Amino acid sequence: MNFQLSEEQKMIADSARDFAEQNIRPYVMDWDESQHFPREVLEKAGKMGFMGIFIPEAYGGSGLGYHEYVAIIEEISKVDPSVGLSIAAHNSLCTGHIFYFGNEAQKQKWLPKLAVGEWIGAWGLTEHNTGSDAGGMNTTAVKDGDHYILNGTKNFITHGKSGDVAVVIARTGEKGDSHGMSAFIVQRGTPGFSAGKKEDKLGMRASETAELVFDNCKIHKDNLIGNEGDGFVQSLKLLDGGRISIGALSLGIAKGAYEAALKYSKERVQFGKPISSFQGISFKLSDMATEIAASELLIHKAASMKNKGEKVTTASAMAKMYASEACVKIANEAVQIHGGYGYIKEFPVEKFYRDSKLCTIGEGTTEIQKLVIARNILK
C-alpha cells in the first residue's frame, strides 16, 4: 500500500501547518494557563474548510477524504493538541453523526453552519457512572406525543459549554439494551438544556470539557436521528472513525515532541559535544522515530479503508491504541532528553507530555481497544 500524500494533500497539510503557526502558536501557553477556549480560532478554521473536512460541498463542507483529515489534525496538533482535539471532536462526532446517520432534512438544517464553523458541535455519550460501560446510561428520553422529554447529565463533553448544537445519546428502552438508546439533536437555547461543571484538566486545557444537563428538556421527534433504538449502534460505528481522529491527534503530539527533542539534542552540549552524539540519547531518538513511522502506517491504513467504505473497527482500534500509547511514551522520552528543561513550561515538551495522556483515554481507553481487537480476531 502506498500512503504517500499526493501533491494536493501536501498542499492541504501545508495550509494547516501555516494556519497553526499564524493563528495558534503565539497563544498556546496563554490559552493553556487560562484554560481559554479559543472559539474564534475554530471560526477561522471553518473559513479554511477545517470544520467540515469530509462533509460534501453540497452541505458547505470541504468534501475531502480521511488522509486529508488525518493530515490536518496532525499538523494542528503538532502546534497545540487542544485545538486539534476540538477540531477532531467537532468533525468526527457531532457533525459526523448527523452526516452519516441523519436524514436529508436534518443534513440540510444542521450541517451547513457546522461545516463552516459558524456553529460548534458537541457529542454526548459519556456519563458520570458510565464511561466504558456506555450501555448503562441513566439519561432518558421519554416519548410525549410528537416530542421527547430528556432528563439526565452527560460529562466529559468536548464543547459542553460553548457548543451550539449537541448530538445526545439517551435511553429510550431498558438499561443495558443495545437497542434501547436513541440519538437526538439538541440546539443550545432549548429550554431545559444547559451546561454544568467545566472540568479543570491536567492537559488539553484549551479544549473545553464540560457537562451537558437536561432537565425536562422538550425536543421535537424530528430531532431523532434514524429510528428509535438506533443510537448506540450508530455511536459504535461513529467511534470507528473517531478513533482515526485520536490516532491523528496522537501522531501530531508524537511528532511535535520528537521534533522538539531532536532539535534540543543537537543544540545541548555536555562533555564537549551535543547530547545527540551519545548512544543513550540517539537510541531514544531512534525508538521515537520508529514508533512514529509505525503509528503513521496504522493510521493511514485505517484512513484508506474508511475512504473505501470498508469496515474499520479492528484497524481503527489498532491505530488508536498503538498511536496513543506511543505518543505518551514519546512525550515522556522527549521530557527526559530535555532533562530539567523538559519539566518547565518554557519548553514545549512539558505541554505535549500533559496533553498526550488523554489520547489513551478518550473515545475508548486502551483497554477497550484491546477488547475490541480481541473480539474481532477471535471471531
Side-chain angles (χ1 to χ4, degrees):
M1 295 183 182
N2 179 14
F3 298 132
Q4 292 295 318
L5 294 181
S6 67
E7 287 304 313
E8 182 182 355
Q9 289 167 337
K10 288 177 183 176
M11 286 176 60
I12 291 167
D14 288 344
S15 70
R17 186 181 305 122
D18 292 343
F19 176 84
E21 290 294 336
Q22 293 172 22
N23 298 283
I24 301 172
R25 190 176 293 282
Y27 315 105
V28 170
M29 292 313 296
D30 287 342
W31 294 342
D32 183 74
E33 290 290 328
S34 64
Q35 297 197 70
H36 170 68
F37 171 58
R39 183 186 176 113
E40 63 281 4
V41 168
L42 298 192
E43 291 172 353
K44 289 179 182 178
K47 293 176 182 176
M48 293 289 294
F50 299 159
M51 299 298 275
I53 297 170
F54 52 79
I55 303 301
E57 293 179 16
Y59 301 114
S62 299
L64 300 173
Y66 265 76
H67 292 301
E68 292 90 342
Y69 180 44
V70 168
I72 291 166
I73 299 301
E74 174 194 325
E75 290 297 340
I76 290 172
S77 301
K78 282 168 66 175
V79 174
D80 190 348
S82 296
V83 180
L85 173 62
S86 278
I87 291 176
H90 171 92
N91 273 279
S92 71
L93 297 177
C94 177
T95 308
H97 201 137
I98 297 169
F99 172 61
Y100 286 119
F101 302 107
N103 58 39
E104 188 58 32
Q106 290 169 337
K107 292 178 185 179
Q108 293 284 356
K109 181 177 181 179
W110 305 104
L111 290 181
K113 289 187 178 181
L114 285 166
V116 298
E118 184 178 340
W119 283 347
I120 304 299
W123 190 74
L125 178 66
T126 301
E127 298 182 4
H128 291 275
N129 297 314
T130 57
S132 297
D133 181 19
M137 68 177 59
N138 293 313
T139 299
T140 58
V142 178
K143 191 79 179 290
D144 179 23
D146 287 340
H147 295 81
Y148 285 88
I149 309 298
L150 272 63
N151 280 287
T153 302
K154 299 289 182 179
N155 79 322
F156 297 148
I157 308 304
T158 304
H159 310 143
K161 190 174 181 180
S162 298
D164 302 281
V165 178
V167 172
V168 181
I169 318 303
R171 187 160 52 81
T172 48
E174 295 300 315
K175 187 178 287 192
D177 179 5
S178 62
H179 295 285
M181 291 159 277
S182 305
F184 301 90
I185 305 169
V186 190
Q187 188 168 354
R188 187 72 63 185
T190 303
F193 175 33
S194 62
K197 175 189 175 187
K198 179 181 175 181
E199 303 297 344
D200 185 3
K201 300 176 295 183
L202 168 72
M204 301 290 192
R205 289 166 62 83
S207 180
E208 178 187 275
T209 305
E211 293 175 321
L212 300 176
V213 180
F214 302 93
D215 181 11
N216 291 319
C217 178
K218 188 175 183 179
I219 56 171
H220 197 270
K221 65 181 182 180
D222 288 349
N223 288 32
L224 171 68
I225 302 178
N227 298 316
E228 189 173 295
D230 287 351
F232 189 62
V233 176
Q234 292 171 357
S235 298
L236 293 180
K237 292 178 180 176
L238 194 71
L239 287 170
D240 285 347
R243 286 165 183 157
I244 297 173
S245 305
I246 301 298
L249 177 64
S250 302
L251 184 61
I253 293 171
K255 285 189 175 182
Y258 164 74
E259 289 170 8
L262 182 67
K263 179 175 183 288
Y264 181 83
S265 74
K266 292 177 179 178
E267 295 171 349
R268 174 70 166 171
V269 174
Q270 294 286 273
F271 307 103
K273 52 186 175 181
I275 62 171
S276 59
S277 65
F278 294 104
Q279 189 179 76
I281 300 299
S282 66
F283 277 17
K284 286 182 186 294
L285 293 166
S286 298
D287 287 342
M288 293 159 79
T290 302
E291 287 175 341
I292 286 170
S295 298
E296 201 158 29
L297 288 169
L298 283 167
I299 293 161
H300 280 287
K301 177 186 177 183
S304 179
M305 293 171 67
K306 183 72 174 173
N307 282 343
K308 294 174 184 175
E310 297 175 4
K311 187 175 175 63
V312 297
T313 303
T314 304
S316 65
M318 287 179 172
K320 194 269 188 191
M321 181 183 77
Y322 186 89
S324 64
E325 290 291 340
C327 92
V328 172
K329 185 177 175 183
I330 289 164
N332 179 59
E333 292 287 43
V335 171
Q336 193 71 16
I337 289 169
H338 279 71
Y341 292 108
Y343 205 67
I344 60 177
K345 293 180 181 293
E346 192 175 331
F347 287 75
V349 293
E350 177 271 345
K351 184 175 183 298
F352 284 127
Y353 184 55
R354 287 187 290 109
D355 288 346
S356 68
K357 190 57 196 168
L358 178 74
C359 297
T360 68
I361 299 169
E363 297 200 33
T365 62
T366 294
E367 292 73 23
I368 288 294
Q369 304 314 313
K370 289 182 178 181
L371 186 64
V372 170
I373 295 163
R375 282 177 177 171
N376 281 281
I377 64 176
L378 293 172
K379 277 182 180 177

